Amino acid sequence: MVQTVPNGLCHEQLYLFNEGSSHHSYRFMGAHPILLDGTHGVRFAVWAPHAVEVRVIGSFNDWDGSRHKMDRIGSTGIFALFVAYIGEGEIYKYELLTQSGAYIRKADPYAFYSERRPNTASIVTSLHGYAWQDEAWQASKRNKSPYTNALLIYEVHAGSWKIKGKEHFYTYEELAESLVPYAADMGYTHIELMPLSEHPLDQSWGYQITGFYSATSRYGTPKGLMRFVDACHAHGLGVILDWVPGHFCKDDHGLRQFDGTPIFEGADPNRAEKPLWGTLAFDFSRNEVVSFLISNAVFWMDVFHIDGLRVDAVASMINLHMDKPPEMHTYNWLGGADNLDALRFLKKLNETVFHYYPDTLMLAEDSSAWPAVTSPTYKGGLGFNFKWNMGWMNDMLRYMALDPADRPHHHHLITFSLLYAFSENYVLPLSHDEVVHGKRSLLNKMPGSYEQKFAQLRLFYGFWMTHPGKKLLFMGSEWGQFDEWKDSDMLDWMVLEYDSHRGMHRYVKDLNHIYVDESSLWERDREPECFEWIDVNNANQSVISFIRRGNGTFTVIIANFSANDYVQYRIGVPERGNYRSLMHSNEKQYGGTVSDRPPSYCSQPIAWHGHNQSILLHLPPFTFMLLTLDPGNTH
């Protein structure tokens, strides 16, 4: 028998919340329209353990808290109150009397909807009643392992993909009608949305949050977001959400000093402060904070059918010293810099998410060298199923920025990643972080003339797509946006009027579809046997060649990173036969110079690169080629 306490709550819910084991605390915390003892109204519940008194204030009581004082529930630290005869749409906050005698006003940490900034109040909202149409998607997801299938992610900032004018954003529904079919047509398998939790400052891109359970009102209502996700699933697209459990912003209406004391961030300012970002770290040693965050991860999957979370700033969470001056360094009980509480939290997070959603994606944005990030927790890992490969990204962008004449001296930058490519389950990210703050766009990182920039970006994309690991590309990069990303304006769609950008756009679309269709490029991503160098040592000519293997299939990849035209370039191939050209980055339709490339290449019985057969190719400058054995045309 469930033991209830006043206001319709039950002891078990509160016990689990205080213990750090409440996985669905959003179902009873916050504001919920309910029927209590035959009366319609809203039950409010908030955690404020050190508050002397808590009141509900809002449009329904003229913001006069004396009329709605909340009940303290034992020693749980939770205050609750049922307010009769109110419902959805009511605007509210909590008014807390602190131990210092001051009254402070706070938004609801569990609010499902918030006023549009600069206003900061919470809005009573029911998340029930949306009729989901994604049963077929959910069934197909259960039958597809993310490890042995294509994963090609389009990273999107909803506030600048397209806009109607200054701060006149597309709604969730409008993005469903425009962004979703576009991404599907381009061949992506998933859309990754930069954070959608409510945040006060546009320029934070959603990474500095006040309302963790509140889908931002910039783009509409929570049910509008549900329609967006439903549309993605109808088009065969998964949805990944950037999720930020590492820190929160300091705005007065948010979590900082929530009840007049640091209950979410912890008492030690040296540990709580994130000086680089001007934010506060969560206190992962606090059980109620763990319940708050783990419930939030489950919430996005429960309520919005999100298919995965990209967990932001893992390195900053697990390292107590990261981005802090020496005078702010703190140590764990063993005397080290590892945040043991954060490590326990991440393991518990992944165990919980996969318990409820075994087919979901949990991706770590992690720049650390922490081992076994994508190994199960029972094997000592952190329990994620994918990790961003920041090492590959940094090495490759450094290499591509070099003058081609200097590349022979830095050949290791394009080969080193294969020494560790199978130590984790990797995603190769070309994300928003690489095209802002003076870093230049991907296209403008490339050296040389205008034409050479495009040729090298096509080459780089080809190598990225065929290197072991799943893929992520930030919006606008698919047509070679020349300017950096401008978060307050929309992407430079107008450049598609120019042949060079239009050719790049066509190239990326074709490359995306080849990737999805060619199983050798993703089927055995986790296995070292999926990759075989043909020639790894040709630093003088800046050419590499290798083989990707699937289950019974293989492809051959050749990449010329030099400005030289190699008219007769021979490579060894593993089997006798006719090698069909799947992609040639220098074709004229993509903006290149080649108009008459051969559709296929016949192998010759000339031993080369340790193989009995070889083929002779013409390799123009900055060219990527992808070949596959045509089983119907052996000779």
Side-chain angles (χ1 to χ4, degrees):
M1 180 177 178
V2 175
Q3 290 186 310
T4 60
V5 296
N7 302 295
L9 295 169
C10 75
H11 282 294
E12 183 182 7
Q13 290 173 328
L14 306 185
Y15 171 79
L16 292 174
F17 178 76
N18 290 143
E19 191 192 46
S21 299
S22 177
H23 303 157
H24 302 91
S25 60
Y26 70 89
R27 294 179 181 174
F28 58 91
M29 297 294 286
H32 293 266
I34 63 170
L35 181 67
L36 184 64
D37 297 331
T39 302
H40 289 280
V42 175
R43 184 189 63 219
F44 298 89
V46 64
W47 177 58
H50 303 123
V52 175
E53 182 180 274
V54 183
R55 306 166 172 182
V56 181
I57 58 175
S59 53
F60 50 87
N61 62 13
D62 297 323
W63 302 91
D64 179 4
S66 65
R67 295 161 57 182
H68 290 104
K69 295 180 181 180
M70 301 181 74
D71 302 317
R72 183 190 295 272
I73 303 177
S75 60
T76 64
I78 294 173
F79 290 78
L81 181 68
F82 176 74
V83 180
Y85 309 118
I86 66 171
E88 283 199 78
E90 298 284 0
I91 300 173
Y92 72 100
K93 280 188 176 181
Y94 298 117
E95 187 174 64
L96 302 95
L97 176 61
T98 71
Q99 293 179 351
S100 67
Y103 280 100
I104 57 176
R105 293 183 170 187
K106 293 287 188 176
D108 187 349
Y110 281 89
F112 296 147
Y113 195 40
S114 305
E115 287 188 299
R116 182 163 170 165
R117 52 92 179 104
N119 296 326
T120 59
S122 305
I123 302 173
V124 176
T125 303
S126 172
L127 299 179
H128 300 294
Y130 180 77
W132 286 93
Q133 304 294 318
D134 64 347
E135 294 85 356
W137 167 263
Q138 299 295 347
S140 68
K141 192 168 67 170
R142 287 191 291 272
N143 295 322
K144 291 175 65 175
S145 166
Y147 307 110
T148 56
N149 280 276
L151 183 58
L152 178 56
I153 303 166
Y154 187 49
E155 186 190 26
V156 172
H157 178 251
S160 58
W161 185 74
K162 282 185 179 179
I163 59 174
K164 303 171 188 176
K166 183 175 176 59
E167 297 187 6
H168 191 188
F169 303 115
Y170 274 45
T171 65
Y172 294 118
E173 290 90 344
E174 288 169 333
L175 289 169
E177 294 173 359
S178 53
L179 167 60
V180 172
Y182 170 82
D185 180 64
M186 286 294 294
Y188 295 101
T189 65
H190 289 71
I191 293 175
E192 180 176 316
L193 296 165
M194 291 167 67
L196 292 180
S197 295
E198 196 57 78
H199 52 284
L201 183 66
D202 291 0
Q203 286 73 26
S204 79
W205 311 331
Y207 292 98
Q208 297 187 12
I209 295 169
T210 50
F212 279 77
Y213 287 82
S214 183
T216 178
S217 54
R218 285 168 175 78
Y219 316 125
T221 67
K223 288 181 180 174
L225 177 56
M226 294 177 193
R227 293 185 187 98
F228 173 85
V229 175
D230 219 359
C232 285
H233 291 169
H235 282 79
L237 290 165
V239 181
I240 300 168
L241 184 64
D242 276 12
W243 188 61
V244 191
H247 62 131
F248 55 90
C249 63
K250 296 181 177 181
D251 292 59
D252 287 341
H253 68 285
L255 301 180
R256 182 179 71 90
Q257 297 273 328
F258 185 79
D259 63 359
T261 66
I263 59 171
F264 283 95
E265 62 268 38
D268 184 348
N270 287 330
R271 184 165 291 196
E273 291 284 344
K274 294 280 190 182
L276 183 67
W277 299 325
T279 56
L280 293 167
F282 280 105
D283 180 4
F284 300 109
S285 70
R286 189 79 185 241
N287 288 342
E288 294 86 353
V289 171
V290 171
S291 286
F292 175 81
L293 288 171
I294 290 183
S295 293
N296 187 243
V298 174
F299 164 82
W300 290 106
M301 299 171 191
D302 275 351
V303 175
F304 291 97
H305 291 204
I306 296 296
D307 301 289
L309 300 175
R310 175 268 203 186
V311 180
D312 182 61
V314 169
S316 180
M317 293 172 66
I318 65 178
N319 187 337
L320 293 168
H321 296 175
M322 188 169 182
D323 297 324
K324 293 186 178 183
E327 62 269 20
M328 289 185 68
H329 286 183
T330 59
Y331 297 87
N332 62 40
W333 67 274
L334 296 172
D338 297 335
N339 188 334
L340 302 179
D341 296 318
L343 290 166
R344 278 192 295 270
F345 164 76
L346 290 171
K347 292 177 182 181
K348 186 172 184 178
L349 165 72
N350 287 316
E351 289 169 355
T352 304
V353 167
F354 287 120
H355 171 75
Y356 293 106
Y357 295 98
D359 307 304
T360 200
L361 296 168
M362 292 295 288
L363 303 95
E365 189 266 318
D366 176 30
S367 59
S368 77
W370 191 268
V373 171
T374 59
S375 291
T377 58
Y378 64 83
K379 291 185 176 181
L382 292 186
F384 290 93
N385 51 7
F386 289 98
K387 170 182 173 172
W388 278 21
N389 192 335
M390 312 293 274
W392 174 90
M393 179 271 296
N394 285 316
D395 283 351
M396 281 307 304
L397 291 181
R398 179 185 167 197
Y399 180 83
M400 294 305 302
L402 292 170
D403 186 302
D406 292 331
R407 287 176 180 166
H409 308 295
H410 301 274
H411 192 69
H412 65 282
L413 292 175
I414 53 173
T415 61
F416 178 70
S417 59
L418 269 301
L419 296 179
Y420 63 86
F422 309 102
S423 62
E424 301 274 8
N425 301 322
Y426 281 118
V427 172
L428 309 185
L430 299 173
S431 76
H432 68 276
D433 278 329
E434 309 317 315
V435 294
V436 290
H437 300 323
K439 294 181 182 178
R440 297 180 292 176
S441 69
L442 293 181
L443 178 68
N444 207 17
K445 293 179 194 292
M446 306 295 132
S449 68
Y450 184 78
E451 291 78 13
Q452 287 175 328
K453 287 179 180 291
F454 280 93
Q456 290 180 87
L457 186 59
R458 293 193 301 269
L459 162 66
F460 174 48
Y461 283 162
F463 178 58
W464 163 69
M465 196 67 84
T466 53
H467 187 287
K470 310 305 184 184
K471 323 296 174 189
L472 177 143
L473 186 67
F474 184 57
M475 64 181 195
S477 301
E478 69 268 29
W479 60 69
Q481 178 146 322
F482 199 86
D483 290 340
E484 283 190 346
W485 171 48
K486 301 176 287 291
D487 58 73
S488 61
D489 202 354
M490 74 173 177
L491 296 177
D492 295 335
W493 290 90
M494 77 291 294
V495 302
L496 288 174
E497 298 173 8
Y498 298 93
D499 289 343
S500 51
H501 294 280
R502 196 160 53 244
M504 177 67 74
H505 196 232
R506 183 182 300 117
Y507 174 74
V508 170
K509 179 179 178 178
D510 287 353
L511 191 63
N512 286 354
H513 282 278
I514 289 171
Y515 166 78
V516 171
D517 292 341
E518 184 49 62
S519 62
S520 65
L521 299 179
W522 39 259
E523 196 169 35
R524 300 173 63 191
D525 258 335
R526 297 192 294 173
E527 304 174 28
E529 294 77 15
C530 83
F531 184 92
E532 177 187 336
W533 286 113
I534 295 174
D535 186 4
V536 64
N537 296 315
N538 192 356
N540 289 337
Q541 292 182 299
S542 297
V543 177
I544 58 170
S545 50
F546 56 92
I547 299 166
R548 288 298 309 277
R549 295 188 183 275
N551 294 326
T553 65
F554 69 90
T555 45
V556 173
I557 295 93
I558 312 97
N560 176 13
F561 290 95
S562 79
N564 301 319
D565 186 9
Y566 301 120
V567 178
Q568 292 190 320
Y569 191 90
R570 185 173 294 278
I571 66 164
V573 290
E575 294 185 21
R576 175 176 176 267
N578 206 37
Y579 284 78
R580 180 165 49 92
S581 176
L582 291 177
M583 174 57 73
H584 192 300
S585 68
N586 241 316
E587 283 192 71
K588 276 197 171 179
Q589 63 170 326
Y590 303 134
T593 59
V594 175
S595 57
D596 57 349
R597 66 157 175 98
S600 61
Y601 303 86
C602 291
S603 70
Q604 299 171 303
I606 300 174
W608 213 261
H609 293 141
H611 295 282
N612 294 326
Q613 296 281 318
S614 59
I615 56 178
L616 198 61
L617 306 168
H618 173 205
L619 272 184
F622 309 126
T623 290
F624 162 83
M625 295 178 66
L626 177 62
L627 310 175
T628 185
L629 182 65
D630 190 342
N633 288 283
T634 58
H635 61 274

